[in-house]
């Protein structure tokens, strides 16, 4: 889910976006009704290439671009978007999608079957971000102007794959072919979505404006402009929300939520999510290369206190890496509990009877829940004579450190949230724990051949027998929990905070943190 932009590209992007830095001075409920203002703790995007972005850009890109289908996990059904309908063969190896007619890309060209084939093949060829989701695809064939056929290597849930909030976007082939490599990353787009890119300030803000020729039309109530901004200071976001200068936000401290519940102008809404909080141990460094040490540190974690005080009760202790509510979650999996005496015993067995070592934990600056979690953990580790340094960092810097070529320059413990690219346990297990030749999100640097074999098998089984696949994924998690390359902290409950004038807002946990701005509107 996260990707960083190279410094050289960053400089280009900053210069491109700065000219429109003051494009929306009046924002929130106090702004003209057609503008909506959303703020959160981190950068609005890290790469504007729809084949590459695997991070916060999930929000703007799902409003600029569209996919063939959209998945509703509550109803367990698929909603037609750029495909009007589809069929699959009895053996699950051939899928045919019929493409919506009359759809324009933002560059004025028409959507057709060739554009679908081109977009997906480009993402596969680039091999970046979440491109791994297309691994089951053997070939893509254009049957006619508005019919696309997918041939698979093995049965797979292709409807889930084409509905992914990452790496499944359809883009204009004309725009891609007529510009040099890196054109998207430099700050351009070519989607079919209701909004197009107006301006941005790298790392700070992105502004979207309505696409007049959007196939869905503009009858009814819709926003004309969207402002997505990074405001890491929780006090600032709360004040702006209370003053009507901000429409929607997330991740406010839970004590603020209690206070805001009494404000008649603010709505606080909770709902399920497929997002969880984890800490990944650097298994390449001593003493965390020792399984007994990792198990000890898992027992030393104050799970109940973290859920109560850091998450404000808006969470539940995790069981394994797959969150509650998503298929592949194992409710009967072993769950570490806080047990400081057990931790001492395991440290003694590992050769550290008196602790005596120092660890560096990094988290994303501005996230109060992560900060409080780290502070509670530090207090417990001190009882084991383990010194935990806590370092809040901008996401880009935190992730860059974690990918340093020298293992000794990396953090010892990496705290972050994971949300899925596709609504499958494979998203969690593959991205964070499968062996990676080039480090992306396996920031525990952990390798286990049997684990890899099981989750790859589960992915293949999911297109034939989802119950059997679920059993395989749960079996793989038994290995994961025993080896303890991570602390599985909690499964998050979404808490959305927004101005009461905002209507039509619905969370979809299959599209984590995404607001489909076309579907919401303002009504006083």
């Amino acid at each position: 889910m996260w990707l960083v932009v190279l410094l050289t590209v960053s400089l280009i992007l900053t210069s491109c976006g700065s000219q429109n830095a003051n494009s929306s001075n009046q924002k929130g409920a106090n702004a003209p009704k057609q503008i909506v203002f959303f703020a959160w703790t981190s950068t609005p995007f890290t790469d504007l290439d729809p084949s590459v972005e695997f991070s916060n850009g999930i929000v703007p890109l799902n409003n600029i671009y569209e996919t063939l289908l959209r998945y509703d996990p509550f109803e367990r059904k698929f909603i037609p978007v750029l495909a009007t309908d589809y069929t699959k063969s009895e053996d699950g190896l051939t899928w045919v999608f019929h493409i919506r007619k009359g759809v324009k890309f933002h560059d004025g060209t028409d959507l057709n079957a060739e554009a679908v084939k081109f977009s997906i093949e480009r993402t596969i060829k680039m091999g970046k971000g979440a491109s791994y989701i297309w691994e089951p695809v053997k070939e893509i064939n254009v049957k006619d102007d508005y019919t696309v056929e997918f041939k698979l290597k093995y049965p797979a849930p292709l409807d889930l794959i084409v509905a992914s909030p990452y790496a499944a976007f359809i883009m204009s082939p004309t725009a891609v072919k007529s510009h040099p490599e890196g054109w998207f990353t430099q700050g351009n787009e070519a989607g079919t979505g209701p909004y197009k890119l107006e301006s941005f300030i790298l790392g700070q803000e992105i502004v979207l404006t309505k696409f007049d020729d959007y196939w869905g039309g503009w009858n009814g109530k819709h926003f004309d402009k969207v402002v997505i901004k990074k405001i890491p200071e929780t006090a600032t976001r709360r004040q702006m929300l209370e003053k009507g200068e901000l429409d929607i936000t997330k991740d406010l401290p839970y004590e603020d939520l209690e206070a805001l519940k009494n404000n008649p102008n603010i709505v606080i809404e909770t709902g399920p999510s497929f997002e969880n909080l984890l800490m990944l141990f650097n298994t390449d460094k001593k003493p965390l290369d020792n399984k007994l040490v990792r198990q000890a540190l898992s027992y030393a974690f104050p799970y109940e206190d973290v859920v109560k005080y850091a998450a404000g009760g808006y969470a539940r202790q995790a069981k394994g890496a797959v969150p509650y509510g998503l298929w592949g979650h194992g409710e009967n999996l072993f769950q570490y509990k806080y047990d400081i005496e057990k931790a001492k015993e395991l440290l003694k067995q590992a050769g550290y009877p008196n602790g005596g070592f120092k660890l560096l934990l990094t988290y994303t600056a501005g996230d109060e829940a992560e900060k409080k979690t780290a502070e509670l953990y530090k207090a417990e580790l001190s009882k084991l004579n383990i010194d935990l340094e806590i370092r809040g960092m901008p996401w880009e810097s935190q992730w860059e450190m974690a990918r340093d070529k020298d293992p000794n320059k990396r953090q010892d413990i990496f705290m972050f949230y994971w949300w899925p690219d596709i609504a499958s346990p494979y998203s969690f297990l593959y991205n964070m724990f499968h062996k990676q030749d080039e480090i992306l999100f396996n920031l525990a640097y952990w390798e286990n051949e049997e684990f890899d074999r099981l989750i790859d098998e589960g992915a293949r089984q999911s297109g034939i027998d989802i119950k059997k696949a679920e059993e395989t994924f749960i079996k793989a998690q038994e290995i994961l929990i025993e080896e303890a390359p991570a602390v599985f902290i909690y499964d998050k409950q979404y808490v959305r905070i927004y101005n009461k004038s905002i209507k039509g807002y619905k969370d979809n946990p299959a599209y984590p943190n995404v607001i489909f701005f076309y579907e919401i509107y303002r009504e006083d």
Side-chain angles (χ1 to χ4, degrees):
M1 37 152 95
W2 303 89
L3 211 62
V4 72
V5 181
L6 296 173
L7 177 60
T8 53
V9 175
S10 298
L11 293 172
I12 296 171
L13 287 175
T14 303
S15 63
C16 290
S18 60
Q19 60 186 342
N20 293 309
N22 297 314
S23 56
S24 313
N25 292 323
Q26 191 178 15
K27 307 183 181 87
N30 295 337
K33 289 187 177 182
Q34 70 272 20
I35 300 176
V36 62
F37 183 26
F38 169 57
W40 67 351
T41 61
S42 193
T43 179
F45 67 91
T46 56
D47 197 314
L48 285 174
D49 192 318
S51 295
V52 174
E53 175 66 320
F54 200 14
S55 183
N56 296 352
I58 190 173
V59 180
L61 290 190
N62 274 279
N63 286 278
I64 293 171
Y65 295 90
E66 292 175 303
T67 53
L68 296 182
L69 303 173
R70 187 176 298 167
Y71 180 55
D72 181 342
F74 301 115
E75 299 291 332
R76 295 196 173 186
K77 68 178 183 181
F78 291 89
I79 301 164
V81 185
L82 294 183
T84 55
D85 58 79
Y86 66 101
T87 60
K88 70 172 179 176
S89 60
E90 287 188 13
D91 62 8
L93 294 176
T94 303
W95 295 65
V96 176
F97 291 82
H98 297 101
I99 307 306
R100 188 178 297 278
K101 297 177 181 179
V103 177
K104 293 282 187 185
F105 286 105
H106 295 170
D107 64 357
T109 58
D110 294 322
L111 169 72
N112 56 26
E114 286 287 355
V116 173
K117 173 181 167 70
F118 173 87
S119 299
I120 296 170
E121 287 184 343
R122 176 184 187 266
T123 297
I124 293 171
K125 183 178 180 180
M126 290 185 71
K128 296 182 178 181
S131 61
Y132 81 95
I133 65 174
W134 297 107
E135 200 280 330
V137 175
K138 180 180 179 181
E139 61 183 53
I140 305 173
N141 302 308
V142 172
K143 307 304 287 185
D144 61 41
D145 285 351
Y146 293 96
T147 307
V148 180
E149 176 190 72
F150 290 79
K151 292 285 189 180
L152 305 189
K153 304 170 192 172
Y154 52 84
L158 192 64
D159 41 11
L160 267 180
I161 293 170
V162 303
S164 169
Y166 291 111
F169 299 120
I170 308 304
M171 64 204 79
S172 164
T174 302
V176 175
K177 293 175 183 178
S178 60
H179 292 95
E181 185 177 350
W183 182 72
F184 284 128
T185 297
Q186 291 171 7
N188 299 285
E189 53 89 1
T192 62
Y195 296 96
K196 57 186 181 179
L197 177 65
E198 177 179 292
S199 65
F200 63 89
I201 305 171
L202 184 66
Q204 299 297 323
E205 178 182 276
I206 184 167
V207 179
L208 312 179
T209 190
K210 79 178 213 181
F211 174 47
D212 289 332
D213 293 328
Y214 180 56
W215 63 267
W218 291 96
N219 292 328
K221 299 176 181 178
H222 305 282
F223 284 108
D224 292 342
K225 185 171 291 189
V226 177
V227 180
I228 305 170
K229 190 174 182 66
K230 172 185 175 181
I231 303 179
E233 301 82 7
T234 57
T236 302
R237 281 186 286 127
R238 175 179 171 175
Q239 290 169 7
M240 291 178 69
L241 192 68
E242 290 176 313
K243 292 178 180 178
E245 297 171 352
L246 172 63
D247 288 308
I248 308 169
T249 192
K250 60 189 282 288
D251 295 334
L252 287 180
Y254 293 101
E255 53 267 28
D256 284 0
L257 296 181
E258 293 304 309
L260 290 172
K261 285 179 180 178
N262 298 318
N263 189 322
N265 295 316
I266 293 171
V267 175
I268 297 176
E269 197 169 82
T270 61
S273 84
F274 295 155
E275 184 174 347
N276 51 14
L277 181 65
L278 309 93
M279 294 191 312
L280 305 183
F281 293 131
N282 185 343
T283 61
D284 276 348
K285 290 173 66 175
K286 291 185 179 299
L288 298 175
D289 60 344
N290 187 321
K291 179 178 76 172
L292 294 176
V293 172
R294 299 195 299 268
Q295 290 177 338
L297 297 185
S298 297
Y299 278 111
F301 192 87
Y303 300 95
E304 291 185 5
D305 286 350
V306 165
V307 168
K308 184 176 181 180
Y309 298 112
Y314 293 97
R316 55 176 276 165
Q317 184 184 343
K319 287 189 175 181
V322 179
Y324 179 77
L326 182 65
W327 71 276
H329 170 79
E331 191 62 18
N332 295 320
L333 283 168
F334 175 79
Q335 185 181 53
Y336 288 94
K337 297 290 187 181
Y338 174 71
D339 188 338
I340 203 72
E341 295 305 318
K342 180 70 172 178
K344 290 177 180 178
E345 177 186 329
L346 287 166
L347 284 175
K348 184 177 181 181
Q349 292 178 30
Y352 299 92
N354 300 312
F357 52 86
K358 183 175 181 178
L359 300 172
L360 170 63
L361 181 153
T362 65
Y363 74 94
T364 304
D367 191 305
E368 289 298 310
E370 288 189 20
K371 180 181 179 182
K372 290 177 182 177
T373 296
E375 290 170 346
L376 288 166
Y377 194 35
K378 178 181 178 70
E380 297 303 326
L381 291 186
S382 68
K383 298 174 184 178
L384 301 172
N385 194 29
I386 297 171
D387 182 10
L388 182 68
E389 178 188 346
I390 300 171
R391 187 181 301 174
M393 306 174 71
W395 163 250
E396 303 92 321
S397 302
Q398 182 191 11
W399 192 76
E400 186 177 11
M401 173 190 279
R403 297 187 72 207
D404 197 291
K405 299 296 184 183
D406 183 352
N408 293 309
K409 292 182 180 179
R410 302 170 189 158
Q411 76 296 322
D412 299 294
I413 304 174
F414 188 96
M415 183 188 295
F416 79 143
Y417 298 99
W418 186 263
W419 57 66
D421 36 57
I422 55 175
S424 164
Y426 196 58
S427 171
F428 293 81
L429 302 176
Y430 176 85
N431 285 296
M432 290 189 286
F433 301 108
H434 195 286
K435 179 181 178 181
Q436 294 178 349
D437 294 329
E438 181 180 348
I439 297 169
L440 190 59
F441 290 113
N442 183 348
L443 304 177
Y445 323 106
W446 179 72
E447 297 179 9
N448 185 290
E449 290 184 3
E450 177 62 8
F451 173 84
D452 289 355
R453 184 191 70 79
L454 283 170
I455 67 168
D456 289 342
E457 181 181 336
R460 290 189 291 271
Q461 291 171 337
S462 64
I464 307 170
D465 187 339
I466 199 165
K467 184 177 180 181
K468 190 173 182 180
E470 187 167 38
E471 292 172 355
T472 303
F473 285 128
I474 289 173
K475 186 176 180 181
Q477 287 179 83
E478 291 173 354
I479 297 173
L480 192 64
I481 292 167
E482 167 66 20
E483 289 290 319
V487 174
F488 308 105
I489 302 174
Y490 61 69
D491 298 338
K492 189 176 181 180
Q493 185 179 30
Y494 277 148
V495 182
R496 302 305 189 206
I497 313 107
Y498 55 94
N499 189 281
K500 72 172 185 179
S501 66
I502 299 296
K503 307 297 180 183
Y505 181 40
K506 294 179 182 178
D507 250 329
N508 183 333
Y511 299 84
N513 297 309
V514 173
I515 302 169
F516 292 101
F517 292 104
Y518 180 77
E519 298 175 359
I520 67 174
Y521 58 95
R522 192 184 308 284
E523 188 175 87
D524 294 328

